Amino acid sequence: MTSSILVLGAGMVGTCTALHLQQRGFDVTLVDRGAPGQETSLGNAGLIQREAVEPYPFPREPGFMLDVALGRGAQVHWHAQGLWQMGKSLLGYLHHSHPLRHAQATAAYSRLIAHANNEHGPLIAAAGAQDLVAHEGYRYVFRTSEAFDKAAQRAEDLLARFGVRFQAENSAQLAQAEPALRRPLAGAVHWLDTWAVNDPGTLVQRYANLFVARGGCLLMGDAASLRAQGAGWSVHTAEGRVQAEQAVLALGPWSDGFIRTLGYRFPLFIKRGYHQHYTPSASVRQPMLDAERGYVLAPMQRGLRLTTGAEFAPIDASPTPVQLAKAEALARELIDLGQPLPEQPWLGARPCVADMLPVMGPAPRHPGLWFNFGHAHQGFTLGPVAGRLLAEMVSGEPLCIDPAPYSPKRFG
Ligand SMILES: Cc1cc2nc3c(=O)[nH]c(=O)nc-3n(C[C@H](O)[C@H](O)[C@H](O)COP(=O)(O)OP(=O)(O)OC[C@H]3O[C@@H](n4cnc5c(N)ncnc54)[C@H](O)[C@@H]3O)c2cc1C
């Protein structure tokens, strides 16, 4: 008999989880309060980041910390209320960012990242989404030669340890590759295997269309209405209450609020981020990180998207796009940005975990309930492999990766 399962949350992670469960013969209902891919998975920089083998540690350099504390620089912004609310998780994040613990996290994280392209590739093809994806890489650009030299050395190390391919480009090579740059820079690390999606929300939509075309059921509904029912779970949807034997929570940055209602206290927190689109006279050809200033420029269908670093603030606090203003001024030093599109800046939240690893596996105290969230800075990259690993765990088949480091049980 076919086994039934609900997947709650149709961002990149939930949609890919639904596809992988469906592929393994489950009768899957994918539920979201809105259309697929309209939240965090829409507003990101659109990068499928094969280079991101190391999760982001909490920066520990005293100078950087002082800048953050004093509100200088564009990389980090904070609300006192956010620090207060997420304080315990942030202390855990600081603890796990110690080089020894960060190395352990990297070992587990890099195993997931290694599958990013191999897992996205077949889905992109099956969903007919090749038009959205460029394969020309992603650059970290550097203003000073000290930072460039250090980054090129680090890239050598990542190539040796994780097979992350790159090309170091000097000032002239960078200027030739990106003629829109209005001043010479020290150089760039060009990550060759990173893919760039020019409309991230539409890629999730196409994956969701594929799920529906293959017979999956996509419904509007509220995860807050999830209830244990008999030996299974049910949720209220636009078509009434839907019941299934099992359920997966893939609510991205809203997962913490939800699992608290079930009695779980995991060290989760969020890093908010903004984007704004511009209409430059000449755009950059490939996405780039202004590595010493901490923002990304990514060419999108709507225009050139500028995305910001981390803001520590409650998920529902009013927008405070101060980083956007700072990053815009910095980006204007590099290219002629043109005008911002007449739209409110987009605001989203990266779903983070203190130990920098996602939460994937069975809910410790709720039989038939599974967790798949906390993919932080790379949830758009990791959605397909996260979906595959979770589906393999649910179906009891051999696993592509050892899931122990991501187990929800690590938090009790
Ligand atoms: C500025 C910025 C730039 C980024 N750049 C990149 C990048 O280049 N590459 C990368 O890999 N990652 C990037 N990320 C991170 C990435 O966007 C996220 O990790 C990823 O989108 C998380 O996906 P998700 O499916 O877990 O969450 P989401 O996409 O947020 O999906 C969660 C879903 O749950 C639904 N939901 C929530 N509550 C309920 C409820 N009560 N009932 C029903 N449904 C509900 C929401 O509607 C939503 O559709 C970036 C993030 C930011 C903020």
Side-chain angles (χ1 to χ4, degrees), residues 185-242:
L185 295 177
V189 170
H190 184 183
W191 304 107
L192 300 174
D193 296 321
T194 299
W195 295 353
V197 177
N198 64 24
D199 190 344
T202 297
L203 183 64
V204 181
Q205 277 280 355
R206 301 251 185 111
Y207 286 0
N209 294 346
L210 178 66
F211 166 74
V212 172
R214 289 174 171 176
C217 178
L218 173 65
L219 294 176
M220 292 264 201
D222 185 359
S225 66
L226 185 74
R227 301 282 177 270
Q229 189 165 337
W233 295 89
S234 75
V235 70
H236 191 70
T237 72
E239 299 195 3
R241 208 154 249 288
V242 177

Side-chain angles (χ1 to χ4, degrees), residues 210-300:
L210 178 66
F211 166 74
V212 172
R214 289 174 171 176
C217 178
L218 173 65
L219 294 176
M220 292 264 201
D222 185 359
S225 66
L226 185 74
R227 301 282 177 270
Q229 189 165 337
W233 295 89
S234 75
V235 70
H236 191 70
T237 72
E239 299 195 3
R241 208 154 249 288
V242 177
Q243 204 177 340
E245 288 153 71
Q246 305 189 73
V248 184
L249 289 182
L251 298 174
W254 292 276
S255 302
D256 193 22
F258 186 81
I259 65 166
R260 279 171 182 271
T261 66
L262 299 174
Y264 295 100
R265 296 283 182 278
F266 290 180
L268 307 180
F269 63 99
I270 54 156
K271 292 181 188 172
R272 304 205 309 183
Y274 297 83
H275 85 218
Q276 176 86 61
H277 293 104
Y278 297 83
T279 50
S281 48
S283 180
V284 295
R285 291 170 171 167
Q286 278 111 41
M288 63 169 62
L289 168 73
D290 186 353
E292 290 163 86
R293 298 293 184 270
Y295 64 89
V296 171
L297 291 172
M300 295 277 163

Side-chain angles (χ1 to χ4, degrees), residues 12-13 32-33 40-41 44-45 47 222-223 376-381:
M12 181 56 97
V13 173
D32 200 291
R33 61 187 173 195
T40 331
S41 298
N44 53 58
L47 298 167
D222 185 359
H377 288 257
Q378 272 88 38
F380 188 71
T381 300

Side-chain angles (χ1 to χ4, degrees), residues 9-68:
M12 181 56 97
V13 173
T15 302
C16 292
T17 305
L19 274 163
H20 274 285
L21 285 163
Q22 178 185 56
Q23 210 171 306
R24 285 158 182 79
F26 286 84
D27 174 10
V28 187
T29 304
L30 177 59
V31 178
D32 200 291
R33 61 187 173 195
Q38 295 307 295
E39 295 285 356
T40 331
S41 298
L42 172 146
N44 53 58
L47 298 167
I48 296 176
Q49 293 186 265
R50 177 64 185 89
E51 90 294 344
V53 286
E54 297 181 300
Y56 277 99
F58 197 108
R60 296 164 73 90
E61 301 81 30
F64 185 88
M65 298 288 275
L66 186 66
D67 281 351
V68 170

